[in-house]
PDB file of all heavy atoms in Angstrom:
ATOM      1  N   ASP A 291     -15.350 -19.336 -16.575  1.00  0.00           N
ATOM      2  CA  ASP A 291     -16.775 -19.425 -16.892  1.00  0.00           C
ATOM      3  C   ASP A 291     -17.171 -18.073 -17.480  1.00  0.00           C
ATOM      4  O   ASP A 291     -17.483 -17.124 -16.756  1.00  0.00           O
ATOM      5  CB  ASP A 291     -17.562 -19.726 -15.598  1.00  0.00           C
ATOM      6  CG  ASP A 291     -19.048 -19.945 -15.849  1.00  0.00           C
ATOM      7  OD1 ASP A 291     -19.572 -19.397 -16.829  1.00  0.00           O
ATOM      8  OD2 ASP A 291     -19.681 -20.652 -15.034  1.00  0.00           O
ATOM      9  N   VAL A 292     -17.120 -17.987 -18.816  1.00  0.00           N
ATOM     10  CA  VAL A 292     -17.274 -16.683 -19.480  1.00  0.00           C
ATOM     11  C   VAL A 292     -18.668 -16.100 -19.259  1.00  0.00           C
ATOM     12  O   VAL A 292     -18.816 -14.898 -19.021  1.00  0.00           O
ATOM     13  CB  VAL A 292     -16.929 -16.801 -20.984  1.00  0.00           C
ATOM     14  CG1 VAL A 292     -17.229 -15.487 -21.704  1.00  0.00           C
ATOM     15  CG2 VAL A 292     -15.451 -17.147 -21.153  1.00  0.00           C
ATOM     16  N   ALA A 293     -19.697 -16.952 -19.301  1.00  0.00           N
ATOM     17  CA  ALA A 293     -21.063 -16.444 -19.093  1.00  0.00           C
ATOM     18  C   ALA A 293     -21.214 -15.836 -17.703  1.00  0.00           C
ATOM     19  O   ALA A 293     -21.789 -14.753 -17.532  1.00  0.00           O
ATOM     20  CB  ALA A 293     -22.074 -17.574 -19.292  1.00  0.00           C
ATOM     21  N   GLU A 294     -20.674 -16.510 -16.703  1.00  0.00           N
ATOM     22  CA  GLU A 294     -20.751 -16.016 -15.316  1.00  0.00           C
ATOM     23  C   GLU A 294     -19.910 -14.754 -15.153  1.00  0.00           C
ATOM     24  O   GLU A 294     -20.306 -13.791 -14.481  1.00  0.00           O
ATOM     25  CB  GLU A 294     -20.259 -17.119 -14.359  1.00  0.00           C
ATOM     26  CG  GLU A 294     -20.765 -17.006 -12.941  1.00  0.00           C
ATOM     27  CD  GLU A 294     -22.259 -17.262 -12.789  1.00  0.00           C
ATOM     28  OE1 GLU A 294     -22.856 -17.962 -13.630  1.00  0.00           O
ATOM     29  OE2 GLU A 294     -22.830 -16.737 -11.816  1.00  0.00           O
ATOM     30  N   LEU A 295     -18.749 -14.730 -15.806  1.00  0.00           N
ATOM     31  CA  LEU A 295     -17.878 -13.548 -15.788  1.00  0.00           C
ATOM     32  C   LEU A 295     -18.621 -12.324 -16.322  1.00  0.00           C
ATOM     33  O   LEU A 295     -18.638 -11.265 -15.687  1.00  0.00           O
ATOM     34  CB  LEU A 295     -16.639 -13.824 -16.648  1.00  0.00           C
ATOM     35  CG  LEU A 295     -15.788 -12.600 -17.021  1.00  0.00           C
ATOM     36  CD1 LEU A 295     -14.974 -12.141 -15.821  1.00  0.00           C
ATOM     37  CD2 LEU A 295     -14.885 -12.898 -18.206  1.00  0.00           C
ATOM     38  N   ILE A 296     -19.258 -12.475 -17.475  1.00  0.00           N
ATOM     39  CA  ILE A 296     -19.943 -11.339 -18.108  1.00  0.00           C
ATOM     40  C   ILE A 296     -21.127 -10.888 -17.252  1.00  0.00           C
ATOM     41  O   ILE A 296     -21.386  -9.686 -17.103  1.00  0.00           O
ATOM     42  CB  ILE A 296     -20.360 -11.705 -19.549  1.00  0.00           C
ATOM     43  CG1 ILE A 296     -19.094 -11.770 -20.418  1.00  0.00           C
ATOM     44  CG2 ILE A 296     -21.359 -10.700 -20.121  1.00  0.00           C
ATOM     45  CD1 ILE A 296     -19.253 -12.450 -21.740  1.00  0.00           C
ATOM     46  N   ASP A 297     -21.799 -11.842 -16.634  1.00  0.00           N
ATOM     47  CA  ASP A 297     -22.938 -11.516 -15.766  1.00  0.00           C
ATOM     48  C   ASP A 297     -22.500 -10.762 -14.508  1.00  0.00           C
ATOM     49  O   ASP A 297     -23.301 -10.079 -13.876  1.00  0.00           O
ATOM     50  CB  ASP A 297     -23.667 -12.817 -15.371  1.00  0.00           C
ATOM     51  CG  ASP A 297     -24.981 -12.535 -14.655  1.00  0.00           C
ATOM     52  OD1 ASP A 297     -25.761 -11.700 -15.166  1.00  0.00           O
ATOM     53  OD2 ASP A 297     -25.222 -13.132 -13.588  1.00  0.00           O
ATOM     54  N   ASN A 298     -21.220 -10.871 -14.150  1.00  0.00           N
ATOM     55  CA  ASN A 298     -20.697 -10.236 -12.931  1.00  0.00           C
ATOM     56  C   ASN A 298     -19.799  -9.032 -13.224  1.00  0.00           C
ATOM     57  O   ASN A 298     -19.083  -8.572 -12.333  1.00  0.00           O
ATOM     58  CB  ASN A 298     -19.910 -11.254 -12.111  1.00  0.00           C
ATOM     59  CG  ASN A 298     -20.810 -12.158 -11.290  1.00  0.00           C
ATOM     60  OD1 ASN A 298     -21.226 -11.798 -10.198  1.00  0.00           O
ATOM     61  ND2 ASN A 298     -21.141 -13.325 -11.832  1.00  0.00           N
ATOM     62  N   THR A 299     -19.829  -8.552 -14.460  1.00  0.00           N
ATOM     63  CA  THR A 299     -18.956  -7.438 -14.845  1.00  0.00           C
ATOM     64  C   THR A 299     -19.781  -6.181 -15.094  1.00  0.00           C
ATOM     65  O   THR A 299     -20.828  -6.227 -15.737  1.00  0.00           O
ATOM     66  CB  THR A 299     -18.152  -7.797 -16.115  1.00  0.00           C
ATOM     67  OG1 THR A 299     -17.328  -8.936 -15.842  1.00  0.00           O
ATOM     68  CG2 THR A 299     -17.260  -6.644 -16.539  1.00  0.00           C
ATOM     69  N   LYS A 300     -19.280  -5.068 -14.560  1.00  0.00           N
ATOM     70  CA  LYS A 300     -19.910  -3.757 -14.783  1.00  0.00           C
ATOM     71  C   LYS A 300     -19.230  -3.130 -15.999  1.00  0.00           C
ATOM     72  O   LYS A 300     -18.007  -2.906 -15.979  1.00  0.00           O
ATOM     73  CB  LYS A 300     -19.685  -2.892 -13.538  1.00  0.00           C
ATOM     74  CG  LYS A 300     -20.806  -1.948 -13.221  1.00  0.00           C
ATOM     75  CD  LYS A 300     -20.472  -1.172 -11.976  1.00  0.00           C
ATOM     76  CE  LYS A 300     -21.716  -0.919 -11.141  1.00  0.00           C
ATOM     77  NZ  LYS A 300     -21.386  -0.385  -9.835  1.00  0.00           N
ATOM     78  N   PHE A 301     -20.014  -2.845 -17.032  1.00  0.00           N
ATOM     79  CA  PHE A 301     -19.425  -2.362 -18.282  1.00  0.00           C
ATOM     80  C   PHE A 301     -19.426  -0.837 -18.311  1.00  0.00           C
ATOM     81  O   PHE A 301     -20.179  -0.199 -19.050  1.00  0.00           O
ATOM     82  CB  PHE A 301     -20.150  -2.989 -19.476  1.00  0.00           C
ATOM     83  CG  PHE A 301     -19.851  -4.456 -19.593  1.00  0.00           C
ATOM     84  CD1 PHE A 301     -20.715  -5.404 -19.037  1.00  0.00           C
ATOM     85  CD2 PHE A 301     -18.676  -4.898 -20.183  1.00  0.00           C
ATOM     86  CE1 PHE A 301     -20.421  -6.753 -19.103  1.00  0.00           C
ATOM     87  CE2 PHE A 301     -18.374  -6.246 -20.242  1.00  0.00           C
ATOM     88  CZ  PHE A 301     -19.240  -7.178 -19.705  1.00  0.00           C
ATOM     89  N   VAL A 302     -18.579  -0.279 -17.466  1.00  0.00           N
ATOM     90  CA  VAL A 302     -18.391   1.172 -17.424  1.00  0.00           C
ATOM     91  C   VAL A 302     -16.901   1.464 -17.525  1.00  0.00           C
ATOM     92  O   VAL A 302     -16.073   0.727 -16.975  1.00  0.00           O
ATOM     93  CB  VAL A 302     -18.957   1.803 -16.120  1.00  0.00           C
ATOM     94  CG1 VAL A 302     -20.460   1.655 -16.049  1.00  0.00           C
ATOM     95  CG2 VAL A 302     -18.302   1.204 -14.883  1.00  0.00           C
ATOM     96  N   SER A 303     -16.577   2.513 -18.245  1.00  0.00           N
ATOM     97  CA  SER A 303     -15.181   2.925 -18.337  1.00  0.00           C
ATOM     98  C   SER A 303     -14.752   3.596 -17.037  1.00  0.00           C
ATOM     99  O   SER A 303     -15.537   4.296 -16.392  1.00  0.00           O
ATOM    100  CB  SER A 303     -14.993   3.904 -19.497  1.00  0.00           C
ATOM    101  OG  SER A 303     -15.246   3.250 -20.722  1.00  0.00           O
ATOM    102  N   VAL A 304     -13.506   3.365 -16.673  1.00  0.00           N
ATOM    103  CA  VAL A 304     -12.926   3.992 -15.475  1.00  0.00           C
ATOM    104  C   VAL A 304     -11.948   5.057 -15.949  1.00  0.00           C
ATOM    105  O   VAL A 304     -11.040   4.771 -16.739  1.00  0.00           O
ATOM    106  CB  VAL A 304     -12.214   2.932 -14.605  1.00  0.00           C
ATOM    107  CG1 VAL A 304     -11.514   3.599 -13.424  1.00  0.00           C
ATOM    108  CG2 VAL A 304     -13.209   1.880 -14.116  1.00  0.00           C
ATOM    109  N   ASP A 305     -12.137   6.276 -15.480  1.00  0.00           N
ATOM    110  CA  ASP A 305     -11.245   7.381 -15.845  1.00  0.00           C
ATOM    111  C   ASP A 305      -9.844   7.077 -15.302  1.00  0.00           C
ATOM    112  O   ASP A 305      -9.656   6.966 -14.091  1.00  0.00           O
ATOM    113  CB  ASP A 305     -11.788   8.681 -15.234  1.00  0.00           C
ATOM    114  CG  ASP A 305     -10.929   9.886 -15.570  1.00  0.00           C
ATOM    115  OD1 ASP A 305      -9.773   9.720 -16.034  1.00  0.00           O
ATOM    116  OD2 ASP A 305     -11.399  11.017 -15.342  1.00  0.00           O
ATOM    117  N   PRO A 306      -8.842   6.926 -16.179  1.00  0.00           N
ATOM    118  CA  PRO A 306      -7.509   6.553 -15.686  1.00  0.00           C
ATOM    119  C   PRO A 306      -6.903   7.561 -14.719  1.00  0.00           C
ATOM    120  O   PRO A 306      -6.073   7.204 -13.883  1.00  0.00           O
ATOM    121  CB  PRO A 306      -6.673   6.435 -16.963  1.00  0.00           C
ATOM    122  CG  PRO A 306      -7.448   7.127 -18.032  1.00  0.00           C
ATOM    123  CD  PRO A 306      -8.883   7.059 -17.648  1.00  0.00           C
ATOM    124  N   THR A 307      -7.348   8.832 -14.798  1.00  0.00           N
ATOM    125  CA  THR A 307      -6.793   9.843 -13.879  1.00  0.00           C
ATOM    126  C   THR A 307      -7.404   9.742 -12.480  1.00  0.00           C
ATOM    127  O   THR A 307      -6.930  10.389 -11.554  1.00  0.00           O
ATOM    128  CB  THR A 307      -7.030  11.270 -14.421  1.00  0.00           C
ATOM    129  OG1 THR A 307      -8.443  11.524 -14.438  1.00  0.00           O
ATOM    130  CG2 THR A 307      -6.470  11.426 -15.831  1.00  0.00           C
ATOM    131  N   GLN A 308      -8.475   8.927 -12.344  1.00  0.00           N
ATOM    132  CA  GLN A 308      -9.146   8.816 -11.048  1.00  0.00           C
ATOM    133  C   GLN A 308      -8.827   7.502 -10.319  1.00  0.00           C
ATOM    134  O   GLN A 308      -9.410   7.224  -9.274  1.00  0.00           O
ATOM    135  CB  GLN A 308     -10.672   8.906 -11.244  1.00  0.00           C
ATOM    136  CG  GLN A 308     -11.147  10.200 -11.878  1.00  0.00           C
ATOM    137  CD  GLN A 308     -10.842  11.416 -11.022  1.00  0.00           C
ATOM    138  OE1 GLN A 308     -11.130  11.435  -9.838  1.00  0.00           O
ATOM    139  NE2 GLN A 308     -10.217  12.415 -11.623  1.00  0.00           N
ATOM    140  N   ILE A 309      -7.917   6.700 -10.854  1.00  0.00           N
ATOM    141  CA  ILE A 309      -7.663   5.375 -10.273  1.00  0.00           C
ATOM    142  C   ILE A 309      -6.898   5.479  -8.952  1.00  0.00           C
ATOM    143  O   ILE A 309      -7.218   4.803  -7.978  1.00  0.00           O
ATOM    144  CB  ILE A 309      -6.921   4.468 -11.285  1.00  0.00           C
ATOM    145  CG1 ILE A 309      -7.893   4.063 -12.409  1.00  0.00           C
ATOM    146  CG2 ILE A 309      -6.359   3.226 -10.601  1.00  0.00           C
ATOM    147  CD1 ILE A 309      -7.252   3.280 -13.532  1.00  0.00           C
ATOM    148  N   LYS A 310      -5.881   6.316  -8.914  1.00  0.00           N
ATOM    149  CA  LYS A 310      -5.094   6.443  -7.677  1.00  0.00           C
ATOM    150  C   LYS A 310      -5.892   7.209  -6.630  1.00  0.00           C
ATOM    151  O   LYS A 310      -6.528   8.223  -6.945  1.00  0.00           O
ATOM    152  CB  LYS A 310      -3.762   7.135  -7.957  1.00  0.00           C
ATOM    153  CG  LYS A 310      -2.842   6.315  -8.850  1.00  0.00           C
ATOM    154  CD  LYS A 310      -1.537   7.033  -9.128  1.00  0.00           C
ATOM    155  CE  LYS A 310      -0.668   6.222 -10.062  1.00  0.00           C
ATOM    156  NZ  LYS A 310       0.632   6.899 -10.347  1.00  0.00           N
ATOM    157  N   LEU A 311      -5.875   6.722  -5.406  1.00  0.00           N
ATOM    158  CA  LEU A 311      -6.651   7.342  -4.330  1.00  0.00           C
ATOM    159  C   LEU A 311      -5.925   8.561  -3.773  1.00  0.00           C
ATOM    160  O   LEU A 311      -4.693   8.581  -3.673  1.00  0.00           O
ATOM    161  CB  LEU A 311      -6.866   6.334  -3.194  1.00  0.00           C
ATOM    162  CG  LEU A 311      -7.753   5.128  -3.514  1.00  0.00           C
ATOM    163  CD1 LEU A 311      -7.743   4.145  -2.349  1.00  0.00           C
ATOM    164  CD2 LEU A 311      -9.181   5.557  -3.824  1.00  0.00           C
TER     165      LEU A 311
END
Side-chain angles (χ1 to χ4, degrees):
D291 185 333
V292 174
E294 203 68 25
L295 166 75
I296 288 165
D297 189 48
N298 280 276
T299 299
K300 214 179 216 170
F301 290 95
V302 295
S303 294
V304 175
D305 180 345
T307 65
Q308 300 297 311
I309 288 175
K310 294 179 182 180
L311 293 174

